[in-house]
Amino acid sequence: MKTGTASGQRTAKKVGLERLTSTAYWFEFIKKWLWILVRFVLIFGISFVILYPILLKISISFKSMSDLYDPTVIWIPREFTLDNFKLVFTAMNYPSVLMNTLWLSTAVMLLQTITCVLAGYGFARIRFRGSGLLFAAVIFTILVPSQTIMIPLYLNFKNFDVLGLIELFRGSPANLINTYWPFLISALLGMGVKTGLYVYIFRQFFRGIPREIEEAAYVDGAGYFKTFGRIILPNAIPSMVTVMLFSFVWQWNDSFFTNMYLNEPKVMSSMMSSSGYTIATYLTGGGQAAESYTQDPFFMSMMMNTSVLMAILPLLINYLFVQRHFVESVERSGLVG
């Protein structure tokens, strides 16, 4: 028995020595660790790029004026304070702006999801002459910058009319600028922010569903709309979750269309564009005093960092609750891999 154990140990030692002297073994060993090193550098770099600005804003937001000019304070404030949040909360009328942004983003999200899921299903299942060309036009809207259609969109909503009916009853077209109607109408008609991308996501997802499932439903007596509502839509929940989250976040952060349609900063993104002026106006009492007001640039930078943190705070909280569903929906919708 002891002789057999010793023989086995000698064999294992011999195999180990042969493996260590093999060029192929060291090649695979170096390749494996190089790949681990590359992945670590990539993940660390991406995490640093994403997290560093957020951590910096959190650190600055809790600093006091004494910490701001203390060279020994780098990241952790010596005196934690909530005065910066209180000032920004009052100066920006934060509750009202937050509710407006929440309402607008939710409404646009729902309308865009409904419109895009219908359009995506149509492009995936219904074939007609020119359908390919029409889908190419949808893809074209992803590639064309929004700035190229800025003037037509603005004039359209400034003099909004439907087949001349509004002018017929009111005597003049309706001016929808400085209202939420341009966002809602655009989302309802498939012209909202990133709509082309959402249609593409739904089309690719529906093309992956076997036609036999729908044909089985037809055989069982289900109609076209019942099949879509009872069979197709439940299977499309991962794509719908993905599109809803993208739509909500992009509408929340959109500053191009909000600055174009809204003359007054009613939502978070447009408020961020003028946060420095708004805070300075509040500190000086408003009116013409703001024009000659010269604030401490470091103090104003601290206020603007606090305002940005408060603007993205709802999105961060939202992400904490839905991150698992978001990752699962992205995987199942086929956006990765």
Side-chain angles (χ1 to χ4, degrees), residues 66-74 78:
S66 58
D67 291 332
L68 204 59
Y69 290 98
D70 189 346
T72 62
V73 176
I74 305 298
R78 195 180 299 277

Side-chain angles (χ1 to χ4, degrees), residues 216-229:
Y218 297 148
V219 170
D220 291 339
Y224 196 79
F225 293 103
K226 188 175 182 179
T227 302
F228 178 74

Side-chain angles (χ1 to χ4, degrees), residues 70-112:
D70 189 346
T72 62
V73 176
I74 305 298
W75 282 97
I76 301 176
R78 195 180 299 277
E79 298 178 8
F80 281 91
T81 179
L82 296 176
D83 291 343
N84 301 332
F85 291 96
K86 294 177 182 176
L87 177 59
V88 173
F89 186 89
T90 307
M92 294 178 58
N93 194 15
Y94 188 77
S96 175
V97 174
L98 178 64
M99 292 307 298
N100 289 340
T101 311
L102 188 63
W103 179 88
L104 179 62
S105 300
T106 304
V108 169
M109 175 190 71
L110 294 175
L111 291 175
Q112 274 192 321

Side-chain angles (χ1 to χ4, degrees), residues 22-176:
S22 171
T23 306
Y25 168 76
W26 286 108
F27 178 76
E28 291 296 328
F29 179 81
I30 294 173
K31 188 172 74 171
K32 172 187 173 184
W33 282 99
L34 273 178
W35 177 235
I36 292 175
L37 180 63
V38 169
R39 283 191 300 177
F40 172 77
V41 171
L42 284 176
I43 294 174
F44 181 81
I46 293 173
S47 300
F48 179 79
V49 170
I50 295 174
L51 294 179
Y52 176 77
I54 297 176
L55 295 177
L56 182 63
K57 292 185 188 314
I58 293 175
S59 172
I60 293 175
S61 301
F62 287 99
K63 286 181 179 178
S64 63
M65 284 294 289
S66 58
D67 291 332
L68 204 59
Y69 290 98
D70 189 346
T72 62
V73 176
I74 305 298
W75 282 97
I76 301 176
R78 195 180 299 277
E79 298 178 8
F80 281 91
T81 179
L82 296 176
D83 291 343
N84 301 332
F85 291 96
K86 294 177 182 176
L87 177 59
V88 173
F89 186 89
T90 307
M92 294 178 58
N93 194 15
Y94 188 77
S96 175
V97 174
L98 178 64
M99 292 307 298
N100 289 340
T101 311
L102 188 63
W103 179 88
L104 179 62
S105 300
T106 304
V108 169
M109 175 190 71
L110 294 175
L111 291 175
Q112 274 192 321
T113 303
I114 295 171
T115 304
C116 294
V117 73
L118 293 173
Y121 184 70
F123 280 119
R125 286 292 188 261
I126 301 174
R127 293 293 178 187
F128 56 90
R129 182 174 295 180
S131 61
L133 186 62
L134 193 59
F135 184 70
V138 173
I139 298 300
F140 193 63
T141 62
I142 304 175
L143 305 176
V144 176
S146 303
Q147 288 81 359
T148 57
I149 55 174
M150 178 177 66
I151 295 177
L153 284 176
Y154 182 84
L155 293 177
N156 181 41
F157 288 113
K158 184 174 173 51
N159 301 289
F160 185 77
D161 204 346
V162 181
L163 302 176
L165 295 177
I166 296 179
E167 187 173 6
L168 178 64
F169 290 103
R170 294 177 74 248
S172 63
N175 182 6
L176 302 183

Side-chain angles (χ1 to χ4, degrees), residues 181-192:
W181 283 110
F183 301 96
L184 303 179
I185 293 174
S186 298
L188 186 63
L189 299 179
M191 287 293 294

